[in-house]
Amino acid sequence: MRILMLGDVVGRPGRRVVREMLRPLREELGIDFVVANGENAAGGTGITTKTFNDLTGSGVDVITTGNHVYRQRDVLNIFNSDEDRLLRPANFSGRPAGRGTVIREDRAGRRVGVINLQSRVFMGPSEDPFEAADRLVTELTPECDVILVDLHGEATSEKEAMGYFLEGRVAAMAGTHTHVPTADACVLPGGTAYITDLGMCGPHDSCLGVTKEIVIRKFVTGMPARFTVASGDVRMQGLLFDVDPATGLATSAERLERRLPE
């Protein structure tokens, strides 16, 4: 069983690279299930019905999010419907709209559970992600063949700790949010595919997907700036891994990166 988890999809360029490259890649590599983080899919911040449909129509099975999930009010139309392929972090404080877990079938009918969490270090208010992860994995395990976790977070130490915390209990624990892929893709000794950050689907001639001149000016002047999504050097980045469905654990893992032809 082969699974691909994609990093944060940023704006129109990110959606374009997924739309043009994902379906051929699924066939080329025999990918059975795809998860992508879509919290920056709409103009670089948030997600809308249109951008949700763009990603799911491009071959993404489940879309996770993070701290920007509610930036576009239209997202509430998705969360208030019967649609279950869009997640928000399960450990958000209060009673937010949406859901934090889902079970979907891959193309062979195997049950894949996806858990979306947000870390607490340098991030917004949320409940303990470790307690939430422990509880949700315990709940989903009897219902699933495979469990995947997206931890949306800033601190590498917190994401790495979560990988070891869930080692041997889930097929994969992947970090998102920083838009910069880390060089630590591996299968932990207990059989969990791990990477601290998946990277970004979007324009890499940029500062994290934003036009770099705007970001530089903001740092130099200290003044607020309206960010716009960049356009050059568009890439798709993520983690590709194989899972033994008999055990629900990973047998291999590697970083994936594809560049959209100019």
Side-chain angles (χ1 to χ4, degrees):
M1 179 181 186
R2 181 160 286 183
I3 298 173
L4 175 64
M5 296 182 74
L6 293 174
D8 301 47
V9 178
V10 179
R12 188 186 302 270
R15 301 197 312 272
R16 179 187 168 209
V17 71
V18 172
R19 183 170 59 251
E20 295 187 13
M21 302 194 76
L22 181 56
R23 286 198 182 279
L25 194 66
R26 289 191 70 149
E27 294 306 313
E28 174 192 343
L29 299 179
I31 298 169
D32 298 296
F33 199 83
V34 177
V35 177
N37 190 290
E39 72 146 13
N40 298 118
T45 180
I47 187 167
T48 61
T49 300
K50 179 181 181 297
T51 52
F52 168 83
N53 289 336
D54 197 359
L55 293 176
T56 54
S58 300
V60 176
D61 295 292
V62 173
I63 299 173
T64 53
T65 59
N67 55 305
H68 295 314
V69 63
Y70 300 120
R71 289 294 183 93
Q72 306 287 341
R73 290 185 59 82
D74 181 53
V75 74
L76 298 179
N77 293 323
I78 307 174
F79 283 146
N80 292 330
S81 72
D82 294 332
E83 179 59 69
D84 65 359
R85 290 174 294 174
L86 180 66
L87 302 181
R88 49 84 175 158
N91 61 320
F92 270 171
S93 299
R95 298 180 180 178
R99 57 190 298 154
T101 67
V102 70
I103 299 173
R104 301 284 298 185
E105 291 186 352
D106 77 347
R107 61 183 182 179
R110 293 164 293 211
R111 298 164 300 172
V112 181
V114 182
I115 300 172
N116 193 178
L117 297 168
Q118 180 168 289
S119 67
R120 291 197 290 190
V121 178
F122 308 128
M123 300 293 286
S126 60
E127 298 169 0
D128 181 1
F130 292 88
E131 184 281 328
D134 183 54
R135 171 172 48 83
L136 294 171
V137 169
T138 299
E139 291 175 3
L140 290 183
T141 296
E143 308 295 328
C144 300
D145 298 302
V146 171
I147 296 177
L148 314 175
V149 178
D150 174 346
L151 177 60
H152 199 72
E154 189 78 29
T156 56
S157 58
E158 192 173 10
K159 290 189 275 190
E160 190 171 62
M162 182 65 78
Y164 288 119
F165 181 70
L166 294 177
E167 181 183 355
R169 299 180 64 190
V170 301
M173 206 313 290
T176 56
H177 179 65
T178 67
H179 296 200
V180 178
T182 51
D184 57 350
C186 66
V187 178
L188 298 175
T192 295
Y194 175 82
I195 190 168
T196 299
D197 201 280
L198 292 167
M200 174 179 73
C201 298
H204 284 255
D205 184 12
S206 68
C207 284
L208 309 185
V210 176
T211 302
K212 55 183 180 288
E213 291 79 9
I214 296 174
V215 178
I216 293 169
R217 186 166 62 250
K218 182 178 186 295
F219 279 116
V220 170
T221 66
M223 296 298 291
R226 183 181 180 84
F227 287 171
T228 59
V229 176
S231 59
D233 189 13
V234 183
R235 307 182 200 177
M236 180 168 66
Q237 296 176 326
L239 181 71
L240 180 69
F241 53 98
D242 292 312
V243 177
D244 180 352
T247 63
L249 297 175
T251 58
S252 68
E254 61 180 300
R255 273 198 61 229
L256 179 139
E257 181 167 321
R258 294 289 189 275
R259 179 182 277 113
L260 194 66
E262 295 293 339

